Amino acid sequence: MRNLSVSTATSLKNITIQDDFWSPYISLVRDVVVPYQWEALNDRIEGTEPSHAIKNFKIAAGLEEGEFYGMVFQDSDVAKWLEAVGYLLELQPDPELETVADSVIEIIAKAQHADGYLNTYFTLKEPNGRWTNLAECHELYCAGHLIEAAVAYHKATGKNQIMSVACKLADCIDEAFGPEEGKIKGYDGHQEIELALMKLYHATGQERYLRLSRFFLDQRGQLPHFYDEEYERRQGSIHFPSLRMAKDRSYSQAHLPVRMQQTAEGHAVRVVYMLAGMADVAAETGDEDLLQACRALWKNIVTKRMYITGAIGSMAHGEAFTLDYDLPSDTAYAETCASIGLIFFAQRMLGIEPKGEYADVLERALYNTVIGGMSRDGKHFFYVNPLEVWPEANRVNKNFEHVKVERQQWFGCACCPPNIARLLASLGSYIYSVKDNTAYVHLYIGSQIQLELAGQKVHLVQQSELPWEGVVRFEVGLQTAARFKLALRIPDWSGEPEIRINGEGLTISSDQRTDGYVVIDRQWGPGDIVHLVLPMPVQPMKGNPLIRETIGKIAFQRGPMVYCLEEADNGPNLHQLVVKSDADKQVAFESGLLGGLQSITVPAYRIREEGWADKLYQANIDMKLEATTARFIPYFAWANRGSGEMRVWVAETMASTKFI
Amino acid sequence: MRNLSVSTATSLKNITIQDDFWSPYISLVRDVVVPYQWEALNDRIEGTEPSHAIKNFKIAAGLEEGEFYGMVFQDSDVAKWLEAVGYLLELQPDPELETVADSVIEIIAKAQHADGYLNTYFTLKEPNGRWTNLAECHELYCAGHLIEAAVAYHKATGKNQIMSVACKLADCIDEAFGPEEGKIKGYDGHQEIELALMKLYHATGQERYLRLSRFFLDQRGQLPHFYDEEYERRQGSIHFPSLRMAKDRSYSQAHLPVRMQQTAEGHAVRVVYMLAGMADVAAETGDEDLLQACRALWKNIVTKRMYITGAIGSMAHGEAFTLDYDLPSDTAYAETCASIGLIFFAQRMLGIEPKGEYADVLERALYNTVIGGMSRDGKHFFYVNPLEVWPEANRVNKNFEHVKVERQQWFGCACCPPNIARLLASLGSYIYSVKDNTAYVHLYIGSQIQLELAGQKVHLVQQSELPWEGVVRFEVGLQTAARFKLALRIPDWSGEPEIRINGEGLTISSDQRTDGYVVIDRQWGPGDIVHLVLPMPVQPMKGNPLIRETIGKIAFQRGPMVYCLEEADNGPNLHQLVVKSDADKQVAFESGLLGGLQSITVPAYRIREEGWADKLYQANIDMKLEATTARFIPYFAWANRGSGEMRVWVAETMASTKFI
């Protein structure tokens, strides 16, 4: 095996986020989200669907009486919560939280079978059903989340109990699955085990985990088809009849061997979790075909199947991708977890080849869909993140049944809330990476970090005014002068950047700009200061003319933030607002609005209703527009002021059209 | 009871359609549609879902062995076919067809129980379930269709067998239902029996049928709720779990007493069938509250919930209305049967109060959705009539699962094809009506008719160039001169009309124009000639600014025909075409195109894709448009040239916008 030269992700131990925008989120995760979710997992949040997830473990552990309740993958909610706890503990000690986590680890350990098997659904509901329905039943998915939790918790605390559970479970899986005679040749309907085994491999150095991960990827989509075979062995019994998981191969990306897939098909979360695993294996093994498939699917997603908010999945049925350029705003699925998975994938690609486009998409998903998926109080969540809502229609028209117009306290299928928690808790690992004596800065988030460069420890202090202004300052802490490269990402939303080093302007040569980064290669001295200014004009955005939804419409973006109109600011019938792309845009920081944010106000027109009373269609009539102003707020902050209309894509006058 | 002064509908015996546009349709129904459907009902069309409808009757009659198959309302397909046969036989004798019909009547009669009950589903599948699930099981609906068939067949042939079956069935129902102690206080989930009983009342003069019809209308929506009561008596057993028919009261318009309903809610076909029955009862009884409810619901439908094609029903789930101004083009349900029901309702309202708006809507539904529901070969049908299709998305995105991009040979739920047949076969009864010594001309369709006016028989010969030109000529055949009124409808699509009587121009006074008609009150002489010219410019149509779907878009209409773009004429990506409402429009009759039709060609622009390769969103970019032409064809003719894109509402430049 030949591994690729991959950049080192930064350990959370070495970084401290100190940022006006993000520090409150990290605190929120620590002080509110994780404690709140602990209550939810223990069924102590009133008025919500019960989770029963902890109870399932207690019953499986023999500590309580009762029956399994919830989705087949209910275990994973506990694992994702525990993983978030691991990251929080890695950031800073918290003995009280650690005690709670240890207590749940104790229960999990007791629920594990002697042979390492661990899954409360099968233990309690189908004790003889182990590994009989991989297409639908998420056993390996749950195992993967447990492994991710174990790696995070072990890294933070050094404690072995959960790591030992995870290794026993992985070994149990390794005993059951593999190319050897007599082993199962299957793979999970929901990818996750692949990337988790890679984490376990990196944590333990045990190559069998890498081999097993690769085995699962290699098997997917091969013929004769494993899902047909197990379906017949089960004599056709199924769990989720409406989705045809066992038969609709593309739903689980099992329609083709993974190396042959060129378009993102089926369940969006599965696609990006799979791709994260593929990138991990490719990075480790140098498997060029696997890497090419990663690149092809990346390109398909980000150039044909992604919303401007970094959301993916155009259809509720199957929570799935549909086809190129099919990006409806109002019936979008755009699951929070799918954007989180896209971030996982982007981070891995960034490790393999530091190209700005990966970080651009990562940032787009993070600042819009992911943080939009949680309310500013940390206790309400979106599963689905539409780009347009009309609450009256959402109540009545079943095409919008999957869309909630306000964030919910919890979900029967509660995958998204703990996914947000674990991502935000580990945000520090997405900001920098180091490769070939180069420190890459992918995200502009105020922080202090310790990096290994030119054979010494470099202490980098970043101050950032993002996302509201594109002003960043770095201070380089060094023992002695040293030569290394600092690669500063120039985001796709930025104008021509200005860089000053110790107050002196840097003329950026074309050599210095590669793949979306300005690479500064110099002898750095202790206390060197780098100033970076990324011009952040309001950008009128258009969609590709092949997107039906965005024709004749415009969206505003400023920095990483995509903006939207809300009824709270603009009244109802937002579709009647028409803007000009070249109108003057007023940007103002409103400290009192929704925790403080930059709003955009533009002159606009409103289509008037006069002359239309009791008329549905009229001939030879000019629409009358009256001047007004439209106020936009960042998309992530929508739906924090009650139920109301929202839209990202707004009608545009054709003034900016060129007739040729 | 005080009945309203209602205009007399014309008997098919007294009218002969002789029309370039419509005569081929009537012939098609006689020569192709009805014979084809007979084959379908007998399961002899290869490659389609079996109907089994005739077989069900044979089995119930004890003539064959086997089991019931199909929907609970499968019987109604046979009844609607038989009704169409009745109209055809009323138009002209056809011994061969009559023999076929008599043979099926024989079978139906044998399937009837001794007490008059008749329903093959309950006879064969639930012999003890009679009248236990009115919310879901369509027993009275099927009975209604049988009654309608009987009335039509009896009127045409004078034969009594099917009329006797119908009366026995109606009497059986009258025995079971009613306000009297011990009788069932329920009503059918799908309205139909109400209007059918009114036909039976008119055919037999038996007041009990009128009383029963009114009883069913009066009961609907009363509390305690009958559907809850029968649901409990059934201990919660249900037929259609996904639709919650038994619990979702508005699905069956049972959410309120009918006189209190102000908006069209739930299943669209049910709404308009109910309203037809309500109008019938109101006309007969002078029930002002009932009439007001008809007017209120009419207004709600045609001013807030109707597509420009005269289609209704915005949502696939429940085939239902949603809310005011929610009129999506691509996910529309727009069922053929619903527009047919809207025509039934409009005709009855026109009888009560001859206002042009009823005929305008009737004509809109007829010329667009209804005939669009059938292919020009008479053997393929649409159930759903969207205003926009993108075939690639329809294949993949489940939001469009209900939409077919090409007409189908038959359906598992085959309500629409025989509904088109019976409507077209009886088209002659929609053209004229007579009231208060006035002959109303509602539709301009070439025909000869015998009317009773001023105490004598008046023979009116209409020649019409509609729908392609607004040129109409009437010749008045009389024994002796007589004074009566001729009321000519001035359609909503017409410019200022020109009328000449015996070559002499008529100055139309405002007195003569009432409610959409020009009323000519004069002494008519034998051989008088009336020329009517209805200017028929291409009309750029706009939608009410409260309709989200139509903002920034335009549709073309000419005469009664709504136009659409098809991929066959304009290439793919029809959303990239942009037109100006004030552009020159070329109208041309193309005799070789789809059986001959008038096309509209307009200068247009196409949004270019250059500069967008591999880019999904871009900032600060002007869309580039190149000049092209767009060719529109009438909506009814779409999808006769294979699978391709279609759209009615087309992007418009904002050139015609007034900024105020």
Side-chain angles (χ1 to χ4, degrees):
Chain A
M1 278 190 249
R2 175 186 63 81
N3 66 342
L4 299 175
S5 158
V6 171
S7 61
T8 319
T10 48
S11 167
L12 293 178
K13 280 211 171 72
N14 297 331
I15 189 163
T16 310
I17 289 178
Q18 290 168 325
D19 186 271
D20 284 350
F21 187 80
W22 287 106
S23 291
Y25 272 107
I26 313 289
S27 301
L28 191 69
V29 171
R30 179 181 303 282
D31 300 336
V32 178
V33 182
V34 160
Y36 176 83
Q37 294 188 1
W38 176 245
E39 295 304 296
L41 294 171
N42 283 282
D43 312 312
R44 293 190 291 252
I45 307 291
E46 252 181 70
T48 67
E49 298 192 59
S51 160
H52 213 264
I54 297 289
K55 208 170 204 80
N56 290 337
F57 275 108
K58 286 181 178 166
I59 298 165
L63 300 170
E64 285 193 18
E65 296 286 306
E67 289 194 5
F68 179 91
Y69 171 90
M71 312 295 282
V72 287
F73 46 84
Q74 211 75 352
D75 287 1
S76 64
D77 293 343
V78 178
K80 283 195 278 190
W81 176 86
L82 185 59
E83 185 185 344
V85 170
Y87 298 137
L88 290 178
L89 295 177
E90 197 179 351
L91 291 175
Q92 71 184 59
D94 184 336
E96 205 178 322
L97 182 58
E98 197 170 323
T99 304
V100 173
D102 285 341
S103 74
V104 80
I105 288 168
E106 194 71 37
I107 297 163
I108 291 170
K110 287 207 174 106
Q112 186 166 38
H113 294 222
D115 69 351
Y117 184 82
L118 177 55
N119 183 294
T120 72
Y121 171 79
F122 280 95
T123 300
L124 299 175
K125 292 273 278 194
E126 298 192 41
N128 299 317
R130 190 196 284 196
W131 316 137
T132 58
N133 189 345
L134 296 173
E136 296 185 297
C137 288
H138 296 70
E139 276 164 294
L140 298 172
Y141 168 88
C142 289
H145 277 301
L146 192 98
I147 291 167
E148 282 203 274
V151 170
Y153 196 77
H154 171 75
K155 193 165 174 217
T157 63
K159 291 181 178 171
N160 284 323
Q161 185 174 20
I162 190 66
M163 195 60 166
S164 153
V165 168
C167 289
K168 271 174 67 184
L169 173 55
D171 293 343
C172 167
I173 294 166
D174 194 36
E175 280 291 306
F177 293 85
E180 297 85 0
E181 183 73 27
K183 288 190 178 182
I184 305 167
K185 303 292 177 287
Y187 45 93
D188 204 83
H190 197 316
Q191 301 87 333
E192 156 65 21
I193 187 73
E194 299 84 353
L195 71 87
L197 285 168
M198 291 306 293
K199 284 191 175 178
L200 194 60
Y201 161 65
H202 289 300
T204 64
Q206 298 290 332
E207 276 212 6
R208 65 177 180 281
Y209 300 138
L210 163 61
R211 279 197 303 271
L212 187 57
S213 173
R214 191 174 187 173
F215 168 78
F216 286 133
L217 291 170
D218 288 345
Q219 284 306 109
R220 185 168 293 271
Q222 300 291 351
L223 295 178
H225 207 278
F226 180 78
Y227 292 161
D228 286 344
E229 293 176 342
E230 64 161 14
Y231 178 83
E232 276 164 39
R233 280 195 293 274
R234 286 197 315 273
Q235 299 176 318
S237 79
I238 50 175
H239 265 73
F240 300 102
S242 70
L243 286 170
R244 304 182 65 252
M245 285 185 196
K247 291 290 168 192
D248 177 0
R249 296 173 182 178
S250 62
Y251 174 81
S252 305
Q253 301 75 49
H255 55 299
L256 280 175
V258 299
R259 288 171 184 76
M260 293 174 65
Q261 296 185 26
Q262 297 289 312
T263 55
E265 303 296 340
H267 188 267
V269 176
R270 293 171 197 228
V271 171
V272 283
Y273 277 32
M274 175 179 81
L275 287 166
M278 284 164 65
D280 278 339
V281 172
E284 198 56 39
T285 62
D287 184 329
E288 196 57 38
D289 291 344
L290 211 49
L291 185 55
Q292 281 304 342
C294 288
R295 290 194 188 107
L297 287 165
W298 172 269
K299 186 171 171 184
N300 179 248
I301 292 170
V302 307
T303 70
K304 296 192 169 71
R305 302 189 176 198
M306 182 182 74
Y307 288 95
I308 194 170
T309 52
I312 50 176
S314 299
M315 173 169 72
H317 183 93
E319 312 183 329
F321 287 103
T322 55
L323 69 160
D324 292 348
Y325 305 111
D326 182 36
L327 294 160
S329 288
D330 55 357
T331 57
Y333 203 71
E335 184 181 341
T336 310
C337 285
S339 285
I340 291 171
L342 183 60
I343 289 172
F344 295 160
F345 177 37
Q347 184 194 33
R348 282 153 174 90
M349 293 306 289
L350 211 44
I352 293 171
E353 44 195 21
K355 294 184 175 182
E357 66 168 302
Y358 298 122
D360 287 341
V361 169
L362 190 161
E363 187 184 64
R364 188 177 288 281
L366 176 66
Y367 279 86
N368 296 287
T369 301
V370 174
I371 57 171
M374 185 169 74
S375 63
R376 310 224 58 174
D377 70 3
K379 295 179 177 179
H380 297 82
F381 305 91
F382 277 132
Y383 192 114
V384 166
N385 298 276
L387 280 76
E388 180 179 325
V389 296
W390 177 20
E392 287 80 358
N394 280 59
R395 272 194 290 277
V396 177
N397 190 324
K398 297 280 180 184
N399 290 333
F400 308 113
E401 203 170 19
H402 59 293
V403 177
K404 305 291 176 208
V405 300
E406 294 190 83
R407 293 175 185 80
Q408 308 291 300
Q409 289 188 295
W410 202 248
F411 304 89
C413 171
C415 50
C416 298
N419 233 351
I420 298 177
R422 68 182 181 132
L423 179 75
L424 294 181
S426 61
L427 184 64
S429 61
Y430 293 84
I431 303 172
Y432 298 96
S433 67
V434 172
K435 180 179 180 178
D436 302 337
N437 205 34
T438 307
Y440 286 91
V441 188
H442 304 302
L443 295 175
Y444 295 108
I445 295 177
S447 53
Q448 299 200 29
I449 192 164
Q450 194 108 310
L451 300 167
E452 281 282 334
L453 288 159
Q456 66 169 296
K457 289 206 189 317
V458 177
H459 188 78
L460 207 57
V461 180
Q462 180 182 167
Q463 291 173 300
S464 167
E465 292 181 30
L466 263 74
W468 309 125
E469 299 302 336
V471 177
V472 191
R473 177 185 186 275
F474 293 91
E475 187 174 341
V476 183
L478 280 171
Q479 292 290 337
T480 56
R483 187 169 188 113
F484 61 87
K485 296 179 214 168
L486 183 67
L488 301 174
R489 172 174 153 257
I490 309 305
D492 56 358
W493 47 259
S494 173
E496 202 51 37
E498 288 172 42
I499 297 172
R500 278 172 292 133
I501 300 176
N502 299 326
E504 200 171 311
L506 180 76
T507 309
I508 304 166
S509 68
S510 59
D511 282 4
Q512 282 177 305
R513 290 197 68 155
T514 36
D515 287 334
Y517 291 81
V518 171
V519 184
I520 310 170
D521 182 5
R522 71 190 289 277
Q523 184 84 3
W524 298 93
D528 277 355
I529 303 289
V530 180
H531 278 100
L532 169 67
V533 177
L534 299 165
M536 198 185 269
V538 175
Q539 291 188 306
M541 303 296 293
K542 299 252 170 87
N544 187 304
L546 287 165
I547 307 174
R548 277 142 218 266
E549 178 70 34
T550 59
I551 281 283
K553 294 179 189 156
I554 195 169
F556 287 121
Q557 186 175 340
R558 184 170 179 276
M561 293 296 190
V562 173
Y563 279 71
C564 67
L565 292 175
E566 274 208 298
E567 184 174 342
D569 298 311
N570 302 284
N573 297 315
L574 298 176
H575 66 284
Q576 293 176 347
L577 284 172
V578 182
V579 298
K580 282 184 169 179
S581 59
D582 56 358
D584 279 342
K585 294 138 200 120
Q586 299 289 330
V587 177
F589 190 79
E590 305 194 38
S591 56
L593 184 60
L594 298 167
L597 51 76
Q598 207 98 6
S599 70
I600 300 173
T601 306
V602 300
Y605 298 94
R606 184 183 291 275
I607 296 172
R608 291 173 63 147
E609 292 162 30
E610 65 177 36
W612 279 96
D614 291 339
K615 296 192 181 78
L616 204 46
Y617 307 104
Q618 289 190 79
N620 301 307
I621 190 161
D622 286 342
M623 289 295 187
K624 293 187 190 67
L625 279 76
E626 65 185 332
T628 182
T629 53
R631 187 207 213 186
F632 293 78
I633 63 162
Y635 173 80
F636 85 94
W638 83 279
N640 280 295
R641 292 175 289 177
S643 168
E645 287 184 34
M646 180 276 291
R647 66 168 50 206
V648 169
W649 290 101
V650 181
E652 192 210 5
T653 66
M654 284 283 191
S656 73
T657 301
K658 261 196 191 145
F659 295 92
I660 55 174
Chain B
M1 275 189 249
R2 176 186 62 82
N3 65 341
L4 298 177
S5 159
V6 171
S7 62
T8 318
T10 48
S11 167
L12 292 178
K13 279 211 172 71
N14 298 329
I15 189 163
T16 310
I17 289 179
Q18 290 168 323
D19 187 271
D20 283 351
F21 188 79
W22 287 107
S23 290
Y25 271 107
I26 313 288
S27 301
L28 191 69
V29 170
R30 178 181 303 281
D31 300 337
V32 178
V33 181
V34 159
Y36 176 83
Q37 294 187 2
W38 176 245
E39 296 304 295
L41 294 171
N42 282 284
D43 312 314
R44 292 191 292 252
I45 308 289
E46 254 183 69
T48 68
E49 297 193 58
S51 160
H52 213 265
I54 297 289
K55 211 174 204 76
N56 289 337
F57 275 107
K58 286 183 179 167
I59 298 165
L63 301 170
E64 285 193 16
E65 296 285 307
E67 289 193 7
F68 179 91
Y69 171 89
M71 312 294 283
V72 288
F73 45 85
Q74 209 76 352
D75 288 0
S76 64
D77 293 342
V78 178
K80 283 195 278 189
W81 176 85
L82 185 59
E83 186 185 343
V85 170
Y87 298 137
L88 291 179
L89 295 178
E90 197 179 350
L91 291 175
Q92 72 183 59
D94 184 336
E96 204 179 322
L97 182 59
E98 196 171 323
T99 305
V100 173
D102 285 342
S103 73
V104 79
I105 289 169
E106 194 72 37
I107 298 163
I108 292 170
K110 287 206 174 107
Q112 187 167 37
H113 293 223
D115 68 350
Y117 184 81
L118 177 54
N119 183 293
T120 72
Y121 171 79
F122 278 95
T123 299
L124 300 175
K125 292 273 278 194
E126 297 193 41
N128 299 316
R130 191 194 284 195
W131 315 138
T132 58
N133 189 345
L134 295 174
E136 295 185 298
C137 288
H138 295 70
E139 277 163 296
L140 298 173
Y141 168 87
C142 289
H145 276 301
L146 192 97
I147 291 166
E148 282 203 273
V151 171
Y153 197 76
H154 172 74
K155 195 167 173 212
T157 63
K159 290 182 179 169
N160 283 322
Q161 187 174 19
I162 189 67
M163 194 62 165
S164 152
V165 168
C167 288
K168 272 174 66 183
L169 174 55
D171 293 342
C172 166
I173 294 166
D174 194 35
E175 279 291 306
F177 292 86
E180 297 84 1
E181 183 75 27
K183 288 190 177 183
I184 305 167
K185 303 293 176 289
Y187 44 92
D188 203 84
H190 196 315
Q191 302 86 333
E192 156 66 21
I193 187 72
E194 300 83 354
L195 70 89
L197 285 169
M198 290 307 294
K199 284 192 176 179
L200 193 61
Y201 162 65
H202 288 300
T204 63
Q206 297 290 334
E207 276 213 5
R208 65 178 182 281
Y209 300 139
L210 163 61
R211 278 198 303 272
L212 188 58
S213 174
R214 191 176 186 172
F215 168 78
F216 286 133
L217 291 170
D218 287 345
Q219 284 306 109
R220 185 169 294 272
Q222 299 293 349
L223 296 177
H225 208 278
F226 180 79
Y227 292 161
D228 287 344
E229 294 176 343
E230 63 161 16
Y231 178 83
E232 275 164 38
R233 280 195 293 272
R234 287 198 313 274
Q235 299 176 318
S237 79
I238 50 174
H239 264 76
F240 300 103
S242 69
L243 285 170
R244 302 182 65 253
M245 286 186 195
K247 291 290 168 193
D248 177 0
R249 295 174 183 178
S250 63
Y251 174 79
S252 305
Q253 301 73 51
H255 55 299
L256 280 175
V258 298
R259 289 171 183 75
M260 292 174 66
Q261 296 186 25
Q262 298 288 312
T263 55
E265 302 297 340
H267 189 268
V269 176
R270 294 170 196 228
V271 171
V272 283
Y273 278 32
M274 174 178 81
L275 288 166
M278 284 165 63
D280 279 338
V281 172
E284 198 55 40
T285 62
D287 184 329
E288 196 57 37
D289 290 346
L290 211 48
L291 184 56
Q292 281 304 340
C294 287
R295 290 196 187 107
L297 287 165
W298 172 269
K299 186 171 171 184
N300 179 248
I301 292 170
V302 306
T303 70
K304 297 194 169 71
R305 300 189 178 197
M306 183 182 74
Y307 288 95
I308 193 170
T309 52
I312 50 176
S314 299
M315 172 170 73
H317 183 93
E319 312 183 329
F321 287 103
T322 55
L323 69 159
D324 291 348
Y325 306 111
D326 181 36
L327 294 161
S329 288
D330 54 356
T331 57
Y333 202 70
E335 185 181 341
T336 310
C337 285
S339 285
I340 291 171
L342 183 59
I343 288 174
F344 295 159
F345 177 36
Q347 185 193 33
R348 282 154 173 88
M349 293 306 289
L350 211 44
I352 293 171
E353 44 195 21
K355 294 185 175 180
E357 65 166 304
Y358 297 122
D360 287 342
V361 168
L362 190 162
E363 188 184 62
R364 188 178 286 282
L366 176 66
Y367 280 87
N368 297 288
T369 300
V370 174
I371 56 171
M374 185 169 72
S375 63
R376 310 224 58 176
D377 70 3
K379 295 180 178 178
H380 297 82
F381 305 90
F382 277 133
Y383 193 113
V384 166
N385 298 275
L387 280 76
E388 180 179 325
V389 296
W390 176 20
E392 288 81 358
N394 281 58
R395 272 195 289 278
V396 177
N397 191 324
K398 298 278 180 185
N399 290 333
F400 308 114
E401 203 169 19
H402 59 295
V403 177
K404 305 292 176 204
V405 300
E406 294 189 81
R407 292 175 185 82
Q408 308 290 300
Q409 289 188 292
W410 202 248
F411 303 90
C413 171
C415 50
C416 298
N419 233 351
I420 298 177
R422 68 182 182 131
L423 180 74
L424 294 181
S426 61
L427 185 63
S429 61
Y430 293 85
I431 303 172
Y432 298 95
S433 67
V434 172
K435 180 177 178 177
D436 302 337
N437 204 33
T438 307
Y440 286 91
V441 188
H442 304 303
L443 296 176
Y444 295 107
I445 295 177
S447 53
Q448 300 200 27
I449 191 164
Q450 195 108 308
L451 299 166
E452 281 281 332
L453 289 159
Q456 65 168 296
K457 288 205 191 313
V458 176
H459 188 78
L460 207 57
V461 180
Q462 179 182 169
Q463 291 173 300
S464 166
E465 292 182 30
L466 264 77
W468 308 127
E469 298 303 337
V471 177
V472 191
R473 178 186 186 274
F474 293 92
E475 188 175 341
V476 182
L478 277 172
Q479 291 291 337
T480 56
R483 188 171 188 108
F484 61 85
K485 296 180 212 166
L486 183 67
L488 302 174
R489 173 174 153 255
I490 309 305
D492 57 356
W493 48 259
S494 174
E496 202 51 38
E498 287 171 43
I499 297 173
R500 278 173 292 132
I501 300 177
N502 299 325
E504 200 171 309
L506 180 77
T507 310
I508 304 167
S509 69
S510 60
D511 281 3
Q512 281 176 305
R513 291 198 68 157
T514 34
D515 286 335
Y517 291 81
V518 171
V519 183
I520 309 170
D521 182 4
R522 71 190 290 274
Q523 184 83 2
W524 297 93
D528 278 356
I529 304 289
V530 180
H531 279 101
L532 169 67
V533 177
L534 300 165
M536 199 186 267
V538 176
Q539 292 188 306
M541 303 296 292
K542 299 253 170 86
N544 187 303
L546 287 164
I547 307 173
R548 276 141 218 265
E549 178 70 36
T550 59
I551 280 282
K553 293 180 189 155
I554 195 169
F556 288 121
Q557 186 175 339
R558 184 171 179 276
M561 294 296 191
V562 173
Y563 279 71
C564 68
L565 291 174
E566 275 208 295
E567 184 174 342
D569 297 310
N570 302 285
N573 297 316
L574 298 176
H575 66 285
Q576 293 176 347
L577 284 172
V578 182
V579 297
K580 281 185 170 180
S581 59
D582 57 358
D584 279 342
K585 293 136 200 123
Q586 301 288 329
V587 177
F589 189 79
E590 306 195 37
S591 56
L593 185 60
L594 298 167
L597 50 77
Q598 206 98 8
S599 69
I600 300 173
T601 306
V602 300
Y605 299 94
R606 184 182 291 277
I607 296 172
R608 292 173 64 146
E609 292 163 29
E610 64 177 38
W612 279 97
D614 291 340
K615 295 192 181 79
L616 205 45
Y617 307 104
Q618 290 191 78
N620 300 307
I621 190 162
D622 285 341
M623 288 294 185
K624 291 186 191 69
L625 277 75
E626 64 185 333
T628 183
T629 54
R631 187 208 214 187
F632 293 77
I633 64 163
Y635 173 79
F636 85 95
W638 83 279
N640 281 295
R641 292 175 288 177
S643 167
E645 286 184 36
M646 182 277 290
R647 65 166 52 205
V648 169
W649 290 101
V650 181
E652 192 210 3
T653 65
M654 283 285 190
S656 72
T657 302
K658 263 199 188 141
F659 295 92
I660 55 176

